[in-house]
């Protein structure tokens, strides 16, 4: 694994903050949505969106093709 992308709490928001929270609500994960929303309100980190864009760009081409060889 490339340590340059590092996985931390941001990994939860790989699709981005808004899309992740929306997906949780739309798929019945209300407890998870509530906990993550509370966590975000206590530790607002604008870098999450930047991190998510970086990781998507690192692993996927602009047209959505995975750039990593399958195992």
């Amino acid at each position: 694994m490339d340590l340059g992308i590092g996985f931390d709490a941001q990994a939860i928001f790989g699709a981005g903050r808004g899309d992740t929270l929306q997906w949780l609500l739309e798929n019945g994960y209300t407890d998870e949505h509530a906990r993550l929303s509370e966590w975000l309100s206590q530790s607002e980190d604008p870098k999450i969106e930047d991190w998510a864009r970086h990781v998507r760009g690192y692993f996927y081409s602009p047209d959505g093709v995975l750039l990593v060889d399958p195992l």
Side-chain angles (χ1 to χ4, degrees):
M1 176 51 76
D2 183 347
L3 296 178
I5 63 163
F7 280 91
D8 199 354
Q10 295 95 334
I12 296 168
F13 298 97
R17 179 183 301 151
D19 288 342
T20 299
L21 292 174
Q22 180 179 350
W23 185 91
L24 289 170
L25 275 180
E26 290 174 354
N27 289 280
Y29 295 98
T30 55
D31 290 342
E32 291 83 354
H33 178 275
R35 283 188 223 121
L36 289 174
S37 294
E38 181 180 345
W39 177 74
L40 283 170
S41 73
Q42 294 174 0
S43 59
E44 193 66 26
D45 184 358
K47 295 178 184 172
I48 289 174
E49 296 299 328
D50 294 337
W51 181 89
R53 273 191 297 279
H54 170 72
V55 171
R56 284 191 304 271
Y58 185 89
F59 288 110
Y60 292 90
S61 70
D63 58 349
V65 176
L66 184 62
L67 300 175
V68 180
D69 291 333
L71 297 176

